[in-house]
Amino acid sequence: MFFTAALPSILLLSTKPWLAAANGRDQQPSAPSLGNTIYNDQNLRYIATVIVGGQSINVTLDTGSTDMWLNPRGGVGTFQDTGVSHEIHYGDGSPFINGTIGLIQVSLAGHVIPKQAFINITQISGLDQCGHGDCGLIGLGFDNPKVGIQNALTQAGQDGNTIGKSVLSNIFDMNPDKGRFFALSLSRERDARDSAPATLHISEYATRYESVQYEPIRPVYPLTETNWNLLSKGFSVNGRPLSLVANDKTVPGGNILIGLDTGNPGVCTRPEIREAIYSQIPGAVLSKNSSIPSRNFRTDQDIWVIPCNASLNLTMDFEGNSYPVHPLDLTAMYTHVGRDGVNRTICVNTITNCGMAKDVLYGDPFLRNVYTVYNFGNATTPPFVQFSSQTDVEEAARDFAIVRQELLAGNAPELGPADLVHLYDGPSAGIPANPTPPGSSCSSGVRVAENIANDATPSSNDSILAKHAPVIIGLLAANLVVLSILALAVVREVGSARSQSAPRYVPVHVRDNDSAPLTHPPFSDKKDYSDA
Ligand SMILES: *[C@@H]1O[C@H](CO)[C@@H](O)[C@H](O)[C@H]1NC(C)=O
Ligand SMILES: *[C@@H]1O[C@H](CO)[C@@H](O)[C@H](O)[C@H]1NC(C)=O
Ligand SMILES: *[C@@H]1O[C@H](CO)[C@@H](O)[C@H](O)[C@H]1NC(C)=O
Ligand SMILES: *[C@@H]1O[C@H](CO)[C@@H](O)[C@H](O)[C@H]1NC(C)=O
Ligand SMILES: *[C@@H]1O[C@H](CO)[C@@H](O)[C@H](O)[C@H]1NC(C)=O
Ligand SMILES: *[C@@H]1O[C@H](CO)[C@@H](O)[C@H](O)[C@H]1NC(C)=O
Ligand SMILES: *[C@@H]1O[C@H](CO)[C@@H](O)[C@H](O)[C@H]1NC(C)=O
Ligand SMILES: *[C@@H]1O[C@H](CO)[C@@H](O)[C@H](O)[C@H]1NC(C)=O
């Protein structure tokens, strides 16, 4: 899970009526989502409204963690206090939440849980404090009696395994005749016509995606370590599979290990995989240890600058199926005033290096492209995931061209990537992309990528960008290997989805003088996971 903290100024473009009207199905509701609709918060977080003791509270949905915590302004009101305190530390240990575990009635997506365990936040430090109406988090991961709320209650001599269950476990146990699964559709802001509504269904499917139940079953991996991690065949770029090797040698050959984390607003991977993808975009330039800002979480200062109208056809490959990724999900667009005082539009990579030992952590940019069923399994069937593609390649390519053209016309001018890199990082900076010519073998682009990936450059604390660097709250050094618990934060990107009239096409404005941290860390419980 990733969080967002203080916000940079956000630039709004005027709404294009034809864009807003282009497709009714991706309109965001303006009323609280008490049913299956969830909110897209600027393509960064997906938020459900829960009713807690009579009060509506917006909470982030996070498949990368399990516990629930609440921090509404004014408090949650009366609840049954277990008297057990629980703190969760992030990153280097300084950002944290702390509170007592309570039991309270919670309603989510039409289900009412009489006594749901949650952490009533009494201390919060270095984290978003209910900043933009998002005042809590629901973990959609697996119960694990050895960590988190369940463990804290058990350690205190209470029946943690029973009273400390997750929201989903409680709902499933209350409905033994129904399937133990949930299904998520994540919408995309700022596309003209290719998005789907954001929905959460528990033990049922959205009507328009019911056919997902006939899609291939993809068991979680490994089965002994229940997280939403899967085997994947990797990626294809413009139809050519990249040959990738899993970092973990126990992963069966021909596969990589990926995690699904709705709390991650980006896609995290290793530098060589990032390079293998972006080196295929004509005109793109890699700047190592760059001073060009990025809103995307990363553990290095390397950045791909990409012509804002350029893209590639990327698919996420799984046994038997390839799922196309919308080109809008591959690059992030923002405006920035350089040291020369000139305001420019810049497009950069959304797939970043997060210092992970494992292969890929798929966050929202991938998950927006599929309707996903997360099945917890039962006595006879192990946990699995099913995907149904939501992205049509031709339509997405047209959509991308139209949307980016509009944005480029209405914003500060763009500078060619090589010139931009020279301006920010000096005349010798920049490694140009080297796309594989059509029809040739897939090796050359990847070889380029490997060559340039080897001299990893750590970020510099005194760089002008340090102020903008996302604060990672996860278990950085030790536990980034645990994909499913990785949670990062990013700079807030764009305008609001809160009403239908809100502008929908808004690049981020990153300023040099933002002093507050822009992002928040992952929701991994340091203490708990180091035990795991
Ligand atoms: C968290 O709260 C508990 C109970 O109030 C307290 O004992 C503990 O010191 C707190 N932790 C931190 C880091 O302040
Ligand atoms: C719950 O949290 C609120 C706000 O932080 C605090 O005022 C209240 O005392 C807490 N309740 C309990 C029982 O700890
Ligand atoms: C992007 O824009 C540039 C400059 O207008 C143009 O030369 C180039 O062909 C465009 N590329 C694509 C893929 O549309
Ligand atoms: C991706 O594929 C679509 C459909 O074949 C095509 O229209 C589009 O031009 C392709 N995009 C790139 C960048 O190759
Ligand atoms: C277990 O789950 C599978 C897959 O969802 C389902 O087909 C089967 O009916 C379930 N078995 C029981 C006993 O609920
Ligand atoms: C930079 O450009 C954006 C978009 O055109 C505009 O909204 C913003 O005000 C500009 N910022 C400055 C400091 O000129
Ligand atoms: C990265 O750049 C900063 C200045 O921008 C410099 O101080 C630092 O030494 C560089 N780090 C590496 C590893 O090149
Ligand atoms: C939840 O978020 C939605 C969309 O931003 C907003 O309309 C609603 O008022 C929020 N509800 C609460 C209780 O904050």
Side-chain angles (χ1 to χ4, degrees):
M1 164 64 212
F2 294 64
F3 254 61
T4 312
L7 312 180
S9 317
I10 293 166
L11 304 180
L12 303 181
L13 269 183
S14 62
T15 306
K16 305 294 177 202
W18 67 269
L19 285 174
N23 195 336
R25 71 198 159 112
D26 61 353
Q27 296 298 300
Q28 294 291 321
S30 52
S33 63
L34 303 183
N36 298 105
T37 301
I38 58 177
Y39 298 111
N40 176 344
D41 182 4
Q42 306 181 42
N43 280 348
L44 297 177
R45 298 190 224 181
Y46 291 86
I47 289 174
T49 305
V50 290
I51 304 173
V52 176
Q55 177 186 184
S56 292
I57 304 176
N58 282 349
V59 296
T60 294
L61 295 174
D62 183 24
T63 59
S65 66
T66 301
D67 290 336
M68 174 172 180
W69 56 265
L70 297 170
N71 186 37
R73 296 181 199 285
V76 298
T78 312
F79 61 88
Q80 182 181 329
D81 188 358
T82 66
V84 178
S85 69
H86 189 53
E87 53 184 85
I88 302 182
H89 287 250
Y90 301 106
D92 62 2
S94 56
F96 71 100
I97 59 158
N98 194 14
T100 42
I101 301 172
L103 305 174
I104 198 167
Q105 179 179 299
V106 170
S107 308
L108 171 69
H111 298 268
V112 182
I113 306 152
K115 287 189 175 183
Q116 175 59 49
F118 74 103
I119 302 170
N120 180 60
I121 303 296
T122 49
Q123 278 177 289
I124 182 164
S125 175
L127 289 169
D128 195 352
Q129 308 198 15
C130 202
H132 45 114
D134 177 17
C135 302
L137 177 136
I138 289 186
L140 302 176
F142 291 80
D143 270 348
N144 183 343
K146 293 193 193 120
V147 300
I149 286 178
Q150 281 188 317
N151 181 56
L153 290 170
T154 303
Q155 296 295 317
Q158 303 195 24
D159 185 8
N161 293 2
T162 304
I163 64 172
K165 286 187 298 188
S166 69
V167 170
L168 288 173
S169 284
N170 278 322
I171 292 173
F172 297 146
D173 290 353
M174 283 161 44
N175 298 281
D177 51 324
K178 299 222 176 99
R180 298 176 71 86
F181 67 88
F182 68 96
L184 268 178
S185 168
L186 306 185
S187 61
R188 180 181 304 101
E189 281 186 25
R190 294 168 299 132
D191 67 349
R193 56 192 71 180
D194 205 53
S195 189
T199 57
L200 167 68
H201 286 79
I202 298 172
S203 304
E204 60 181 1
Y205 309 102
T207 311
R208 59 187 294 222
Y209 297 118
E210 274 174 346
S211 63
V212 71
Q213 62 194 294
Y214 308 112
E215 294 291 332
I217 283 176
R218 309 192 184 282
V220 304
Y221 184 91
L223 283 174
T224 49
E225 231 182 73
T226 39
N227 291 306
W228 295 119
N229 294 345
L230 305 175
L231 295 177
S232 158
K233 297 294 175 192
F235 303 91
S236 295
V237 174
N238 296 330
R240 288 184 311 273
L242 303 176
S243 59
L244 304 176
V245 176
N247 239 3
D248 177 348
K249 298 305 168 230
T250 66
V251 168
N255 292 284
I256 59 171
L257 184 57
I258 62 117
L260 306 181
D261 184 359
T262 58
N264 177 359
V267 173
C268 286
T269 189
R270 302 192 301 265
E272 73 271 21
I273 297 179
R274 176 191 65 191
E275 266 64 292
I277 293 168
Y278 289 102
S279 67
Q280 296 299 312
I281 301 184
V285 173
L286 172 64
S287 189
K288 308 282 284 179
N289 192 28
S290 176
S291 65
I292 297 167
S294 170
R295 69 180 181 93
N296 291 96
F297 178 79
R298 59 214 167 115
T299 54
D300 62 24
Q301 292 292 107
D302 299 354
I303 200 154
W304 277 96
V305 181
I306 297 147
C308 290
N309 64 353
S311 190
L312 47 71
N313 282 316
L314 182 73
T315 58
M316 309 285 185
D317 301 340
F318 289 82
E319 186 69 52
N321 297 76
S322 289
Y323 303 98
V325 177
H326 197 297
L328 285 175
D329 292 328
L330 289 175
T331 58
M333 186 172 184
Y334 61 91
T335 59
H336 184 250
V337 179
R339 270 172 278 193
D340 59 354
V342 178
N343 195 6
R344 295 187 181 83
T345 295
I346 302 175
C347 288
V348 301
N349 54 302
T350 53
I351 302 172
T352 60
N353 169 27
C354 303
M356 296 195 310
K358 284 196 182 171
D359 300 311
V360 190
L361 183 64
Y362 284 134
D364 302 325
F366 171 55
L367 296 170
R368 279 192 280 274
N369 294 283
V370 280
Y371 187 69
T372 308
V373 173
Y374 300 81
N375 194 311
F376 285 82
N378 54 30
T380 52
T381 310
F384 63 88
V385 165
Q386 287 167 298
F387 296 123
S388 174
S389 178
Q390 291 187 333
T391 299
D392 176 90
V393 177
E394 308 273 350
E395 201 175 275
R398 282 195 299 272
D399 188 15
F400 177 78
I402 293 168
V403 169
R404 283 291 162 90
Q405 205 174 13
E406 285 285 331
L407 283 174
L408 286 168
N411 273 289
E414 185 188 10
L415 196 57
D419 292 338
L420 187 86
V421 167
H422 293 159
L423 186 70
Y424 278 74
D425 299 325
S428 58
I431 303 165
N434 184 15
T436 309
S440 62
S441 96
C442 67
S443 59
S444 71
V446 180
R447 196 166 55 238
V448 167
E450 283 162 355
N451 290 344
I452 52 190
N454 282 338
D455 56 328
T457 47
S459 63
S460 133
N461 285 338
D462 58 358
S463 90
I464 189 170
L465 281 187
K467 288 180 288 203
H468 297 288
V471 177
I472 188 172
I473 299 183
L475 306 179
L476 267 186
N479 284 316
L480 274 179
V481 293
V482 184
L483 283 180
S484 63
I485 63 167
L486 178 66
L488 309 173
V490 294
V491 174
R492 164 164 298 237
E493 183 193 6
V494 296
S496 162
R498 294 205 171 115
S499 76
Q500 297 199 6
S501 60
R504 299 175 61 226
Y505 299 92
V506 283
V508 190
H509 181 201
V510 181
R511 290 188 312 197
D512 281 333
N513 60 353
D514 285 319
S515 52
L518 291 172
T519 58
H520 280 282
F523 279 85
S524 18
D525 183 324
K526 193 176 187 190
K527 192 171 54 179
D528 286 342
Y529 279 96
S530 55
D531 296 342

